[in-house]
């Protein structure tokens, strides 16, 4: 999904969410915007500027404030670990594929989940915040390695 070069701007996103622009929030959001796929808190930590001296507790705090403000979406995995990706007009709701062998999650093309969301809303649903479609299996790379 993030193959699109055009993306959100850090300052504008924080401003729209009503969050103040602390150096750490800017650092984490920059990583999220530049990501080429869903990231774990550990991945985000590795990619932030060490100058910011961000630790895991801070990362989780920032991620939960981003999630509450719907800047990012949280993607649960079978291992109980969560991954995160941008939730914005450049990256609308889409299904994810989880490889059980290498434990990586990749984005699948959107299959019009926005329309699915509208039809769910006709039921006994008051408000839908996000839709998760979770597809698991073995990725191409792991399948190739199996054969060697
Ligand atoms: Zn965006
Ligand atoms: Zn794999
Ligand atoms: Zn995705």
């Amino acid at each position: 999904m993030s193959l699109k070069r055009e993306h959100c701007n850090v300052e504008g996103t924080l401003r729209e969410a009503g969050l103040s622009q602390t150096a750490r929030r800017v650092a984490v959001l920059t990583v999220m915007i530049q990501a080429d796929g869903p990231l774990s808190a550990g991945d985000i930590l590795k990619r932030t500027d060490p100058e910011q001296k961000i630790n895991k507790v801070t990362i989780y705090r920032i991620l939960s404030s981003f999630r509450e403000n719907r800047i990012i979406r949280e993607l649960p995995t079978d291992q109980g670990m969560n991954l995160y990706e941008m939730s914005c007009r450049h990256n609308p709701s889409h299904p994810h594929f989880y490889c059980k062998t290498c434990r990586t999650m990749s984005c699948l093309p959107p299959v019009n989940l926005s329309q699915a969301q509208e039809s769910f809303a006709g039921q006994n649903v008051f408000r839908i915040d996000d839709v998760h479609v979770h597809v698991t299996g073995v990725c191409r790379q792991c399948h190739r390695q199996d054969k060697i």
Side-chain angles (χ1 to χ4, degrees):
M1 281 315 291
S2 317
L3 292 172
K4 283 182 196 164
R5 299 273 38 113
E6 178 211 355
H7 221 313
C8 294
N9 133 303
V10 176
E11 288 75 20
T13 304
L14 289 174
R15 200 180 321 113
E16 274 167 43
L19 292 171
S20 59
Q21 318 220 351
T22 64
R24 288 172 177 179
R25 280 189 189 138
V26 168
V28 172
L29 191 54
T30 304
V31 171
M32 293 302 300
I33 286 176
Q34 290 170 351
D36 45 11
L39 297 177
S40 68
D43 297 330
I44 299 165
L45 190 59
K46 267 182 250 157
R47 294 182 191 201
T48 49
D49 183 357
E51 290 272 298
Q52 299 297 331
K53 297 192 170 58
I54 302 180
N55 60 32
K56 246 190 169 161
V57 177
T58 316
I59 292 273
Y60 281 115
R61 202 177 305 137
I62 293 173
L63 289 174
S64 86
S65 78
F66 285 176
R67 202 193 50 218
E68 280 161 24
N69 288 283
R70 308 215 201 155
I71 295 174
I72 58 170
R73 67 175 73 94
E74 191 174 62
L75 313 165
T77 68
D78 292 351
Q79 273 73 37
M81 183 182 66
N82 291 320
L83 299 177
Y84 303 88
E85 69 176 5
M86 287 301 288
S87 172
C88 63
R89 64 196 165 86
H90 309 106
N91 200 26
S93 287
H94 51 272
H96 288 93
F97 174 74
Y98 187 70
C99 172
K100 291 173 173 175
T101 305
C102 62
R103 300 180 174 191
T104 32
M105 189 180 275
S106 43
C107 301
L108 294 174
V111 284
N112 222 328
L113 290 178
S114 321
Q115 270 180 22
Q117 234 163 295
E118 276 163 36
S119 72
F120 300 152
Q123 313 300 316
N124 188 29
V125 176
F126 172 65
R127 191 187 79 200
I128 292 172
D129 292 332
D130 208 353
V131 176
H132 299 283
V133 179
H134 191 50
V135 186
T136 58
V138 177
C139 74
R140 284 178 191 277
Q141 213 175 334
C142 290
H143 176 65
R144 236 178 274 132
Q145 280 162 6
D146 263 359
K147 286 188 165 167
I148 299 165

